[in-house]
């Protein structure tokens, strides 16, 4: 069993830099639906995916889903992405769910294909190697809520029932909304900043151990944790963390 676990719990293949640090998709109106931005300064290591489809309240149509999948495929190979944050560029809305108007124009076969792609998108978000945070500054319906639930952490602007959603376990943090309508985004940034100082390889392996360990019994979960830790032992990051602790200085992690 341990041999089988070891073969399935390795980190993804060596990461390579993203060709471009930003991308955008254009719908029928020519306006961008997806924007990817790498933050700088004290936020370096945080990458944002901005959903910006105001005409459809960020509904998950073919273009939006395709561009999300494309962005995730590129970003998962980028070692500079330490935290991935999903946010909305449409005030009062996170994501309205699947685009039902677009779906009405599809044949049964096309609907089946689209649903599979939508399910694949949620799986890609859930399997993303770095921590993911959904900044829910507005309502999230159907597939929009599913997208948020696929993330590791969720922050909701206290609107309809941010506190109730927190009590139900749908979100990790509920905050009072501000005049700009982006209070959840700012709290999500703060959470991402708490993650940034940690060793990136250890964080990714910790995420693997948690995700896989929740699916099995305690003995198997401990075995998974041991396998993940063993992969962290030979890394430069672990040695740097020990040296920084010994020398009482901030660590300089390189993700190797």
């Amino acid at each position: 069993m341990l041999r089988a676990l070891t073969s399935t719990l390795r980190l993804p293949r060596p990461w390579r830099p993203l060709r471009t640090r930003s991308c955008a998709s254009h719908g029928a109106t020519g306006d961008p639906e997806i924007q990817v931005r790498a933050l700088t300064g004290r936020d370096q290591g945080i990458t944002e995916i901005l959903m910006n489809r105001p005409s459809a309240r960020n509904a998950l149509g073919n273009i939006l889903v395709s561009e999300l999948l494309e962005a995730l495929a590129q970003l998962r190979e980028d070692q500079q992405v330490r935290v991935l944050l999903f946010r909305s560029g449409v005030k009062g809305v996170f994501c309205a769910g699947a685009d039902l108007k677009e779906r009405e124009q599809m044949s049964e076969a096309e609907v089946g294909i689209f649903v599979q792609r939508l399910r694949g998108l949620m799986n890609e978000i859930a399997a993303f190697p770095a921590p993911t945070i959904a900044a829910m500054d507005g309502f999230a319906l159907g597939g929009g809520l599913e997208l948020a639930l696929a993330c590791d952490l969720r922050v909701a602007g206290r609107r309809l029932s941010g506190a109730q959603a927190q009590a139900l376990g749908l979100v990790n943090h509920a905050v009072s909304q501000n005049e700009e309508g982006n209070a959840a985004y700012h709290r999500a940034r703060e959470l991402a900043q708490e993650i940034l100082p940690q060793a990136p390889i250890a964080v990714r392996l910790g995420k693997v151990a948690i995700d896989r360990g929740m699916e099995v019994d305690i003995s198997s979960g401990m075995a998974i944790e041991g396998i993940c830790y063993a992969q962290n032992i030979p890394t430069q990051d672990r040695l740097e963390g020990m040296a920084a602790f010994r020398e009482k200085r901030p660590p300089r992690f390189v993700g190797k």
Side-chain angles (χ1 to χ4, degrees), residues 107-189:
S107 66
E108 289 187 11
E110 290 171 334
V111 169
I113 293 173
F114 178 75
V115 170
Q116 287 183 346
R117 294 179 65 239
L118 200 56
R119 186 178 298 115
L121 171 63
M122 306 309 170
N123 290 337
E124 286 296 319
I125 295 173
F128 195 80
T132 54
I133 306 175
M136 303 164 67
D137 281 306
F139 59 79
L141 306 176
L145 178 59
E146 188 176 356
L147 189 154
L149 291 174
C151 294
D152 298 309
L153 297 171
R154 287 157 297 283
V155 182
R158 195 189 305 267
R159 179 189 168 124
L160 172 60
S161 56
Q164 293 177 351
Q166 184 180 25
L168 291 172
L170 292 177
V171 301
N172 302 91
H173 299 268
V175 294
S176 298
Q177 191 56 278
N178 56 25
E179 293 183 1
E180 292 76 21
N182 61 0
Y185 167 64
H186 286 294
R187 179 63 181 128
R189 282 270 293 270

Side-chain angles (χ1 to χ4, degrees), residues 11-12 15 79 81-82 129-131 199-209 255:
L11 281 173
W15 290 16
Q79 192 174 7
V81 179
R82 301 274 297 276
I201 292 178
V203 169
R204 293 197 296 270
L205 286 169
K207 179 174 175 177
V208 172

Side-chain angles (χ1 to χ4, degrees), residues 34 49 62-76 86 114 116-125:
I34 293 294
I49 291 183
N62 268 311
I63 292 176
L64 193 55
V65 170
S66 295
E67 291 301 325
L68 283 170
L69 286 168
E70 181 181 352
L72 289 168
Q74 294 185 60
L75 292 172
R76 71 178 294 117
F86 290 84
F114 178 75
Q116 287 183 346
R117 294 179 65 239
L118 200 56
R119 186 178 298 115
L121 171 63
M122 306 309 170
N123 290 337
E124 286 296 319
I125 295 173

Side-chain angles (χ1 to χ4, degrees), residues 6 43 62 79 99 153 159 193 252:
T6 302
D43 290 325
N62 268 311
Q79 192 174 7
D99 190 333
L153 297 171
R159 179 189 168 124
Q193 289 164 0
R252 296 181 292 272

